[in-house]
Amino acid sequence: MTASDPTNPAQVVAIGETMGLVAATRTGAFTVGSPAMMSFGGAESNVAIGLSRLGHPTAWIGRLGTDSIGVMIRDALRAEGVDVSWVRFDDDVPTGLMLREHRTADRVRVSYYRRGLAGSRLRAEDLDADAISRARVLHLSGITPALSESARSAVEHAVTLARRAGVTVSFDLNYRAALWSPDEAGPVLRWFVQRSDIVYAGEDEAAMVVGDGTTEHLAKKLAALGPREVVLKLGVEGAYARIDNEALRSPALTVSAVDPVGAGDAFVAGYLSGLLDELPPAERLRRGNVCGAFSVSVAGDWEGLPRRHELPLL
């Protein structure tokens, strides 16, 4: 692994799980001989790639296996300009894997193989306190604390380090029903919301933390827990935000959707890019929606993420 560059520290440190991806290249269930392509994906590494393509020095911290999938992920992230200096490798367990089928023309089905594998072995000792304290933003999601007790402890420790250093904490609820129930997730997600500066959620995810309500009610209740910026991702309806007690709406762009997976991560990358560029809130939301539109227009978790010079295309 290459050493980090002390003269150009990561503006954003993202911590989480990344898995290999086997994606079908034609519609229908997997059968013997089904054509497929190999890639990878993970909520936090998707955001890291998105930010790197937009010109922001970014690092990803996580665990991978020493298998060919783990090496592929490390090398691909490095090729995208993401600092992987603090990635840890496990010799005795493999990297997690996703299988993605277009079961019908408009229905994607994803199967996950991750329990007990490398990503879930993340622990507090894997974190580099200096890398986090020198960043402008720490980005996390609700997926990682659901993987294992050690992974949860790791991201809790990361939040403590960031807050101690005055680093902005960015948290995407990103609830995954296959990992834990709403009753299990709610209190944990609430803990992170209370300690984050920026929170992103879908309406259903927000309701797990603050109870049912209208879009405006959900945003206001989340903001009351502590974050100064709350962004509700509304899919084809765009985004609704409550930032420093001001309500904002930003419509989605109309594009031909090919693959919805990764759109939320693309939005977060665009939004954080706008924050790092010190854009006003409305323009941050707009950039988030532009990046989301690029993402859904191309198959893959992160492959469609735009580079800075491409933003005007949409």
Side-chain angles (χ1 to χ4, degrees), residues 119-149:
S120 69
R121 289 191 169 191
L122 183 71
R123 56 188 183 181
E125 294 86 343
D126 296 334
L127 306 184
D128 187 281
D130 185 58
I132 293 171
S133 64
R134 295 173 68 197
R136 290 178 61 185
V137 177
L138 169 70
H139 180 67
L140 307 167
S141 88
I143 295 173
T144 313
L147 296 175
S148 66
E149 286 298 321

Side-chain angles (χ1 to χ4, degrees), residues 16-201:
E17 176 197 43
T18 299
M19 295 185 289
L21 169 65
V22 177
T25 56
R26 72 181 183 193
T27 303
F30 273 121
T31 59
V32 175
S34 291
M37 63 169 287
M38 192 76 207
S39 187
F40 66 95
E44 300 83 4
S45 59
N46 293 345
V47 171
I49 292 171
L51 284 163
S52 180
R53 287 189 176 186
L54 292 172
H56 305 284
T58 307
W60 176 74
I61 298 175
R63 275 189 172 264
L64 301 168
T66 53
D67 48 46
S68 58
I69 295 176
V71 172
M72 173 195 73
I73 292 170
R74 180 202 61 189
D75 291 349
L77 287 172
R78 181 185 287 156
E80 287 288 341
V82 176
D83 191 341
V84 292
S85 301
W86 300 284
V87 171
R88 299 291 180 263
F89 282 87
D90 277 305
D91 294 323
D92 55 338
V93 293
T95 308
L97 186 67
M98 300 178 280
L99 300 182
R100 182 179 300 153
E101 308 163 84
H102 275 273
R103 187 63 187 84
T104 65
D106 59 355
R107 181 71 62 180
V108 176
R109 182 168 65 186
V110 184
S111 302
Y112 297 90
Y113 304 88
R114 69 195 338 163
R115 190 175 301 277
L117 301 187
S120 69
R121 289 191 169 191
L122 183 71
R123 56 188 183 181
E125 294 86 343
D126 296 334
L127 306 184
D128 187 281
D130 185 58
I132 293 171
S133 64
R134 295 173 68 197
R136 290 178 61 185
V137 177
L138 169 70
H139 180 67
L140 307 167
S141 88
I143 295 173
T144 313
L147 296 175
S148 66
E149 286 298 321
S150 69
R152 176 177 166 183
S153 295
V155 287
E156 288 176 350
H157 182 55
V159 169
T160 300
L161 292 172
R163 291 183 65 83
R164 185 182 300 157
V167 175
T168 295
V169 178
S170 167
F171 182 67
D172 190 343
L173 270 66
N174 242 338
Y175 173 71
R176 294 291 184 267
L179 293 173
W180 52 356
S181 70
D183 289 342
E184 293 172 309
V188 177
L189 296 177
R190 186 182 184 93
W191 186 94
F192 282 96
V193 169
Q194 290 171 326
R195 291 159 178 81
S196 297
D197 300 289
I198 309 171
V199 169
Y200 319 86

